[in-house]
Amino acid sequence: MKALLTLTCAGQFMVLLDNTIVGAALPDMQQRLHTGLTGLQWIVDAYVLLVAMLLLSGGVFADRFGRRRVFLAGVAVFTAASVVCSLAPSIGWLIAGRVLQGVGAAALSPASLALLAAAHPAPRERVRAIGLWAGFSGIGLAAGPLAGGILVEVFGWPAIFLVNVPIGAALLLAGLRVLGESRNPSAPPIDVPGTVLSVAGVGAVTYGLIEGGSRGWTSPVILGSFAAGLVLLAAFVVVEGRVSTPMLPLRLFRRRLFTASNTAMVVVGFALMGSSFFFSQFFVYVQGTSILVAGLQTLPTSLAMVIVSPYAGRLAARYGFRVVVSIGLALAGLGLLTLGFVHADTGYGNVWWRLAVVGIGFALTMSPLTGAAIQAVSPQEGGLASGVGSTTRQIGAVLGVAVLGAIVHTRESGGASFESGLNGAFLAAGAVTLACAVFTGLWLTAARTPKGVRADESGGQAVSEPLTAPPTRPTS
């Protein structure tokens, strides 16, 4: 049992490490690959887009075809894709490798949680195991900036992908020996039309947002991409409303608590991922620090999230989801607004606390929002609700990198400096986050955690005690 817990935690650690380690390497990638801001946006969004759109299907795939099989396949694809990324001779090859990494992560992450849940059928044991899974793997978020800074400074950006190879190889060898197979015979079929339409629709909108700054917002290609995206997403909604086993059950959004929590999740992904995309670039290009120093300087956000997150669920259980989430979003929004006023000559002593406030604020929101979504559905749908929350947050991340990057690109095209563009992006992220704080204050149900639902003692997530069906979607 301990071996299974170690393997699943290590797999999720590798996925989360990749989320933050890439950010530290973006300045080096820009210089060595001779690309601009648009290229950097695609390096991040190509990965996040695939994870966002395939995450729910990955959980169903694991249940249907075998959790061990899908977990090991995800590890193999992620590891092979990391090799492709490290050897990429051009920006195009690197983006292709990132797409493959996203496919691997979308299989690996939900399958690791499904394996863990299936091995701990008792609710209390499962809660503790998932808490350890979330807590240990979350260390990857904090380790990313520092590890990325060191690896890039010493070896260059390809090293941040090569570090996945020994981890992936060890997971494959150990997994083949240790993991037992399990599946859910009554798992629903894969929603192929919904999956294809969602990837194509969000991808088209993302293309328009990222490329609009360089091609022109009124160019036929950009207008066409937005139009195609809207049509595809409308078709997705129609299909999901008609198929018997949709990847995204639209009926869940008839519940105000579920809709409000997932709307806030989109904003969390938007503001957190969109702003952190620029953290290292600010320190390197605006303040002139080295990549290693920049990696160290971005640590306050991720460290604050790792430290505060375990307490967020307990606070929500005591004071209610609405209070904790609204305060968290307000703190994060204010932190981002203050980042909009930092400049090249702002001392780090006047910067680090702003990053920490952002991290504390977002740490207070994510677990309670997941708990609110789970509370809004039946116990048997808890895993699905958690997976939808992860997906909406990832969709927000895709849009955050695209939209805030478009703000920077547009301001630079108008003659403003990169520093001024970053200030505009941080201010926009802060304004959106503060608006969401008001929204959750009005619409997120102000109820204490009811009987049968308690805060996760290890990971800070509200988990339903009577949950009988193992959750198969990732919770972080």
Side-chain angles (χ1 to χ4, degrees):
M1 196 72 71
K2 291 183 179 179
L4 184 146
L5 178 61
T6 301
L7 286 175
T8 53
C9 286
Q12 185 69 357
F13 170 87
M14 183 170 65
V15 171
L16 292 183
L17 178 69
D18 192 80
N19 282 344
T20 53
I21 201 172
V22 171
L26 289 175
D28 192 54
M29 292 176 177
Q30 186 170 15
Q31 294 172 7
R32 298 197 184 201
L33 293 173
H34 308 291
T35 187
L37 179 60
T38 298
L40 298 183
Q41 288 175 274
W42 279 119
I43 290 171
V44 174
D45 265 358
Y47 172 82
V48 181
L49 174 65
L50 268 297
V51 173
M53 296 297 98
L54 299 181
L55 201 59
L56 289 173
S57 296
V60 176
F61 215 84
D63 283 346
R64 191 171 181 82
F65 298 104
R67 294 150 183 160
R68 174 182 181 268
R69 179 180 301 172
V70 173
F71 175 79
L72 294 178
V75 171
V77 171
F78 191 90
T79 305
S82 297
V83 175
V84 173
C85 290
S86 67
L87 299 176
S90 65
I91 185 69
W93 277 102
L94 179 55
I95 292 172
R98 293 287 284 165
V99 168
L100 289 176
Q101 270 194 317
V103 173
L108 187 165
S109 187
S112 70
L113 183 56
L115 281 167
L116 196 63
H120 297 83
R124 291 183 181 274
E125 292 181 2
R126 187 188 310 150
V127 165
R128 293 190 181 94
I130 292 175
L132 290 172
W133 176 86
F136 179 82
S137 57
I139 297 173
L141 292 175
L146 178 58
I150 294 173
L151 290 171
V152 172
E153 193 76 18
V154 178
F155 302 107
W157 68 262
I160 68 166
F161 296 110
L162 285 175
V163 74
N164 294 327
V165 177
I167 300 175
L171 284 173
L172 285 173
L173 292 175
L176 288 170
R177 297 181 58 183
V178 172
L179 296 178
E181 187 59 279
S182 65
R183 55 173 53 87
N184 179 8
S186 60
I190 304 297
D191 179 12
V192 176
T195 302
V196 172
L197 287 171
S198 64
V199 172
V202 177
V205 172
T206 303
Y207 178 87
L209 290 170
I210 292 179
E211 297 290 337
S214 57
R215 293 178 178 268
W217 295 106
T218 58
S219 69
V221 172
I222 299 304
L223 293 177
S225 69
F226 284 133
L230 293 176
V231 170
L232 289 167
L233 290 175
F236 168 76
V237 172
V238 172
V239 168
E240 294 302 279
R242 293 185 177 182
V243 297
S244 58
T245 55
M247 62 174 284
L248 184 63
L250 300 179
R251 58 181 171 76
L252 296 179
F253 289 92
R254 296 172 186 164
R255 305 169 190 180
R256 190 178 76 174
L257 179 60
F258 188 85
T259 300
S261 60
N262 279 281
T263 300
M265 273 293 197
V266 173
V267 173
V268 168
F270 175 94
L272 177 58
M273 191 68 178
S275 59
S276 61
F277 173 78
F278 289 109
F279 286 168
S280 289
Q281 296 180 66
F282 166 77
F283 288 117
V284 173
Y285 294 132
V286 176
Q287 296 204 324
T289 63
S290 68
I291 292 177
L292 174 57
V293 173
L296 290 169
Q297 290 177 322
T298 61
L299 275 176
T301 299
S302 53
L303 283 178
M305 293 183 68
V306 171
I307 293 171
V308 175
S309 288
Y311 301 98
R314 301 175 191 179
L315 291 171
R318 183 172 182 179
Y319 299 106
F321 297 122
R322 182 166 69 174
V323 172
V324 177
V325 169
S326 298
I327 290 175
L329 288 171
L331 283 174
L334 290 173
L336 289 169
L337 285 180
T338 62
L339 284 174
F341 296 97
V342 296
H343 303 289
D345 56 353
T346 305
Y348 185 67
N350 200 21
V351 175
W352 72 267
W353 63 267
R354 307 172 195 238
L355 297 170
V357 169
V358 171
I360 292 170
F362 283 126
L364 289 173
T365 64
M366 287 192 283
S367 291
L369 283 174
T370 301
I374 291 174
Q375 182 176 306
V377 302
S378 65
Q380 291 75 22
E381 295 174 314
L384 175 60
S386 176
V388 172
S390 296
T391 298
T392 53
R393 188 174 70 249
Q394 294 283 0
I395 291 173
V398 173
L399 297 176
V401 172
V403 172
L404 297 188
I407 291 174
V408 174
H409 200 293
T410 301
R411 295 198 66 171
E412 283 189 298
S413 299
S417 65
F418 182 66
E419 176 185 335
S420 177
L422 287 186
N423 292 150
F426 289 140
L427 290 172
V432 170
T433 306
L434 284 177
C436 189
V438 175
F439 168 78
T440 56
L442 294 173
W443 292 98
L444 203 64
T445 301
R448 294 180 183 272
T449 306
K451 291 183 179 181
V453 179
R454 66 183 181 85
D456 174 0
E457 296 173 356
S458 304
Q461 175 182 309
V463 178
S464 178
E465 285 286 11
L467 184 65
T468 55
T472 60
R473 274 71 170 183
T475 58
S476 65

